[in-house]
Amino acid sequence: ETGVTQSPTHLIKTRGQQVTLRCSSQSGHNTVSWYQQALGQGPQFIFQYYREEENGRGNFPPRFSGLQFPNYSSELNVNALELDDSALYLCASSLGLESDTQYFGPGTRLTVL
Amino acid sequence: AQTVTQSQPEMSVQEAETVTLSCTYDTSESNYYLFWYKQPPSRQMILVIRQEAYKQQNATENRFSVNFQKAAKSFSLKISDSQLGDTAMYFCAFMSRQGAQKLVFGQGTRLTINP
């Protein structure tokens, strides 16, 4: 069974640029959630996708957007990058909305200069 | 909105000792889940233990156990016979059974196990 994978591992961008982060969910999981973890902080919920539809969103501006594909993999897009967007971005998958347990990927470290 | 508080930013114990990490939370809901996740330097968030709020019995997973006090909104993690591999950031997290399946995390406790 393949776990949650994320790409890339590290990324460096400059302020104002756009970035796309990718996540492949664990086999059989149709729900993907994204979290932002600033240095020294706990993760903050960005949004969740269930069967290609957004199923809830945290307190993040519209320049944070996402997609889920028919194979349940997902993308997180961030436009007009700001310095404060520098963080570890974590993807987690779960087996449907009735499942409480989320399995996390290794994360993507984004640095905005 | 739910909040999760971990009042111990850092803890350090000797190998084989028992350590307890504290967590309190705030919610008006009666049915929810609580979790402890471990994040080693590799950054991967790993589930340690979970507790369903409607179950009075405290969850246990090998050397890991919780003390769930629902009325006090307290959810502490006890690690017995601590090992060097337990060194990591530990996060307490809350999940409502209503709405999106989102985890609300505390600020974390950095636990160091010394040889």
Side-chain angles (χ1 to χ4, degrees):
Chain A
E1 185 178 272
T2 305
V4 179
T5 60
Q6 292 186 243
S7 62
T9 304
H10 296 92
L11 203 51
I12 300 174
K13 292 285 188 178
T14 56
R15 194 170 45 183
Q17 286 189 312
Q18 178 266 341
V19 68
T20 296
L21 311 182
R22 295 178 175 82
C23 170
S24 291
S25 60
Q26 188 165 314
S27 178
H29 288 188
N30 57 17
T31 305
V32 172
S33 303
W34 286 92
Y35 295 83
Q36 180 196 67
Q37 186 178 18
L39 196 62
Q41 305 291 318
Q44 299 286 320
F45 176 75
I46 303 175
F47 43 56
Q48 180 179 85
Y49 279 84
Y50 170 67
R51 292 188 173 182
E52 303 178 59
E53 297 288 330
E54 188 179 287
N55 182 54
R57 187 179 181 92
N59 189 27
F60 281 82
R63 59 189 186 83
F64 286 77
S65 62
L67 279 175
Q68 188 178 32
F69 299 99
N71 66 355
Y72 303 131
S73 66
S74 178
E75 286 182 355
L76 164 65
N77 299 291
V78 187
N79 294 322
L81 283 167
E82 300 177 359
L83 298 179
D84 284 350
D85 295 334
S86 293
L88 180 67
Y89 288 85
L90 296 168
C91 167
S93 75
S94 55
L95 190 61
L97 296 181
E98 293 304 311
S99 171
D100 57 276
T101 302
Q102 298 187 1
Y103 297 89
F104 284 81
T108 294
R109 171 73 66 192
L110 172 65
T111 302
V112 182
L113 302 176
Chain B
Q2 294 89 4
T3 58
V4 177
T5 302
Q6 294 178 248
S7 59
Q8 304 151 313
E10 293 189 32
M11 294 190 73
S12 179
V13 298
Q14 297 298 118
E15 194 175 6
E17 288 185 345
T18 294
V19 60
T20 299
L21 308 183
S22 301
C23 172
T24 58
Y25 59 94
D26 187 29
T27 183
S28 58
E29 299 176 16
S30 60
N31 201 5
Y32 46 86
Y33 300 101
L34 295 164
F35 304 85
W36 280 96
Y37 278 89
K38 165 185 175 181
Q39 188 177 41
S42 66
R43 308 180 325 200
Q44 183 116 24
M45 197 74 78
I46 301 165
L47 177 65
V48 174
I49 199 165
R50 65 184 279 280
Q51 175 81 40
E52 298 174 60
Y54 69 88
K55 290 188 176 179
Q56 292 186 345
Q57 186 173 8
N58 289 323
T60 62
E61 286 287 343
N62 301 313
R63 297 182 296 108
F64 299 87
S65 61
V66 298
N67 183 4
F68 173 47
Q69 300 290 327
K70 191 171 184 179
K73 295 179 183 174
S74 169
F75 183 62
S76 61
L77 173 69
K78 184 172 83 170
I79 305 174
S80 303
D81 186 26
S82 57
Q83 300 175 359
L84 297 179
D86 295 333
T87 293
M89 283 292 290
Y90 284 81
F91 292 96
C92 178
F94 172 100
M95 180 187 286
S96 169
R97 293 201 68 177
Q98 302 172 18
Q101 203 189 45
K102 71 174 187 178
L103 288 163
V104 177
F105 287 89
Q107 296 288 84
T109 295
R110 183 176 301 280
L111 176 64
T112 302
I113 310 299
N114 299 304

